[in-house]
Amino acid sequence: MASFSNDDRSRLKGRRIAILATKGVEEVELTKPKKALEEAGARVDVIAPQSGIKNDKIRAWDMTDWGDDIQVDVVLSKANSGDYDGLHLPGGVMNPDHLRLEPAAIDFVRSFIRDGKPIAAICHAAWTLIDAGGVRGHTMTSWPSLQTDLRNAGAEWVDREVVQDNNLVTSRKPDDIPAYNRAMIDLFQRGAVQHAAA
């Protein structure tokens, strides 16, 4: 990813962004977007349900094996979507599969959808959006194996590295992260301004 200019470093100044994840999250899909958001000036909180936390951390998946432990900033039961200007949903197969079984996680995502706040989701994270009722009528991309699930839930699936549709940005896989990060930051900058003016 290209280095940030001084203007880029203040694009999300004053914005607070939530990252919702749990055990099995694809490591680079959390850490690289988190770094990009922080470099753009955002305050970023990693939020996880208690069931996935051990010693205040969640265990990440790194492509083919377990990766690093990632620090959790806020336990989901204590998180309030009203405190955040945007939501990033990283993927990995295990992560969204576990989140779908957590009613509080689905409610948290649903509250961003209901309030019209911007959401960015990569890879398998679209599963969480399906359960939260956030895909119908949207043009989206994802890991290719989710295309039937998304179409069945009312989305139009396309095979592109990144898709922006209203308050939603989606992407396919770790290789797409540079394009995803740019689109996510653009969306969070615009979306937070729109939300603040509402």
Side-chain angles (χ1 to χ4, degrees):
M1 186 172 166
S3 60
F4 281 81
S5 69
N6 287 334
D7 287 342
D8 290 332
R9 290 184 184 280
S10 62
R11 289 182 65 191
L12 297 180
K13 186 176 181 181
R15 310 287 196 260
R16 193 172 175 193
I17 306 300
I19 298 178
L20 179 63
T22 192
K23 182 179 178 180
V25 64
E26 187 66 53
E27 187 171 322
V28 295
E29 293 176 3
L30 190 157
T31 58
K32 288 189 176 181
K34 181 176 187 285
K35 181 180 179 185
L37 289 165
E38 290 172 339
E39 287 181 345
R43 176 181 167 187
V44 182
D45 286 340
V46 175
I47 298 168
Q50 186 63 54
S51 62
I53 299 173
K54 184 175 181 182
N55 298 324
D56 299 322
K57 296 179 179 180
I58 52 174
R59 187 107 186 258
W61 186 259
D62 186 10
M63 303 296 182
T64 59
D65 203 351
W66 290 107
D68 291 338
D69 291 337
I70 296 173
Q71 182 68 42
V72 173
D73 301 300
V74 182
V75 176
L76 178 60
S77 61
K78 296 182 179 178
N80 181 349
S81 65
D83 294 336
Y84 297 96
D85 300 296
L87 173 65
H88 162 53
L89 295 171
V93 177
M94 287 178 276
N95 171 56
D97 204 37
H98 291 315
L99 289 176
R100 295 171 91 185
L101 299 175
E102 294 274 355
I106 299 304
D107 288 344
F108 187 74
V109 176
R110 190 176 289 131
S111 63
F112 282 84
I113 297 165
R114 181 192 63 233
D115 295 341
K117 292 184 179 181
I119 300 172
I122 187 168
C123 197
H124 289 77
W127 269 339
T128 313
L129 286 172
I130 289 171
D131 281 35
V135 306
R136 182 169 299 279
H138 284 287
T139 300
M140 300 174 63
T141 194
S142 68
W143 186 257
S145 65
L146 275 65
Q147 61 184 288
T148 299
D149 293 343
L150 284 164
R151 287 175 175 141
N152 287 342
E156 179 183 348
W157 188 88
V158 294
D159 186 13
R160 296 204 299 264
E161 67 177 357
V162 66
V163 176
Q164 193 264 317
D165 183 351
N166 293 319
N167 280 336
L168 181 63
V169 161
T170 52
S171 199
R172 300 172 302 185
K173 57 188 176 180
D175 289 348
D176 299 333
I177 287 174
Y180 174 74
N181 285 347
R182 289 190 296 271
M184 174 180 61
I185 289 167
D186 286 346
L187 175 68
F188 288 170
Q189 183 181 26
R190 290 192 315 269
V193 170
Q194 290 169 351
H195 179 71

